[in-house]
Amino acid sequence: MNHGTQDLYPTFLKVQLMLSPGEITVITIIANIGGAVCGYISQYLGRKRTIILAAVMVGAFLPLFVLPRNKISLGGAYGIVPAHLNELSPPNCRGTFPGFTYQLGVLIASCSAQIEAVLGEKFPHNGVPDYGLTQAVLTACAIFSLIVMISIGTEAKDVDFEKQLENEDYGPENRDNMTACN
């Protein structure tokens, strides 16, 4: 969802909306503030609810990728997936699991800007590549997948990492196992 809406976003703003570099910077900064806001909200609503709420909000605002022709109507917010992954990680993998899974997602999504660019050029709007439409369609697919996966998964918000380690058998004879993900 993140790559689908952000990788080609500055190009969308420049090519389709013809905004200046300064305007593009301001819009991008404002949109990224949503991550901090969602992180704060997730402390009260929980990780799953916040991720689903953020995904639904992004879905509700997807038409703004297709319809806007001015800078006033743009904005966005994203979920708290990295914290959720860290809380779900097994104690002996906590240093590796969240980073690995997050980067695996980045690897899978790394081609999204190229896919959006090619599709946008194949389906132009008024003679200009329609990057907004392709971002909206691909992001809608990502939102649906994210909501389904988060809904069926578990939540471990407020897990006490230290207590979790104490409950595991990491005595002197098992210290080597702490660094291995098994």
Side-chain angles (χ1 to χ4, degrees):
M1 187 170 77
N2 189 30
H3 288 278
T5 57
Q6 292 184 357
D7 290 355
L8 198 64
Y9 194 61
T11 303
F12 162 67
L13 295 173
K14 179 182 177 186
V15 172
Q16 279 189 258
L17 302 186
M18 296 179 276
L19 299 181
S20 72
E23 292 170 318
I24 293 169
T25 300
V26 169
I27 289 170
T28 304
I29 290 169
I30 291 169
N32 283 304
I33 291 173
V37 171
C38 285
Y40 181 76
I41 291 170
S42 76
Q43 286 299 109
Y44 298 99
L45 295 181
R47 307 293 186 230
K48 287 178 62 168
R49 284 190 199 132
T50 304
I51 291 169
I52 291 170
L53 176 64
V56 168
M57 287 177 59
V58 170
F61 288 99
L62 277 180
L64 296 181
F65 279 102
V66 182
L67 303 175
R69 297 299 171 238
N70 62 62
K71 63 185 175 201
I72 303 299
S73 57
L74 296 171
Y78 297 93
I80 192 75
V81 174
H84 184 58
L85 289 174
N86 200 39
E87 291 167 341
L88 293 176
S89 301
N92 59 338
C93 297
R94 191 153 292 122
T96 306
F97 180 77
F100 176 75
T101 56
Y102 195 76
Q103 292 307 320
L104 185 60
V106 169
L107 174 65
I108 292 167
S110 65
C111 60
S112 62
Q114 290 81 7
I115 291 170
E116 291 171 344
V118 168
L119 290 174
E121 291 164 4
K122 287 190 185 243
F123 302 102
H125 178 72
N126 294 332
V128 177
D130 198 344
Y131 300 128
L133 177 62
T134 60
Q135 287 180 96
V137 170
L138 293 177
T139 301
C141 295
I143 288 169
F144 176 76
S145 300
L146 180 65
I147 289 173
V148 169
M149 289 175 20
I150 293 295
S151 296
I152 62 176
T154 61
E155 180 164 348
K157 183 184 162 290
D158 295 329
V159 65
D160 186 338
F161 296 137
E162 289 180 19
K163 189 164 203 102
Q164 212 175 36
L165 278 174
E166 288 172 10
N167 291 340
E168 298 290 326
D169 185 17
Y170 291 122
E173 67 281 354
N174 291 326
R175 294 271 184 230
D176 292 338
N177 292 337
M178 273 185 77
T179 57
C181 285
N182 44 9

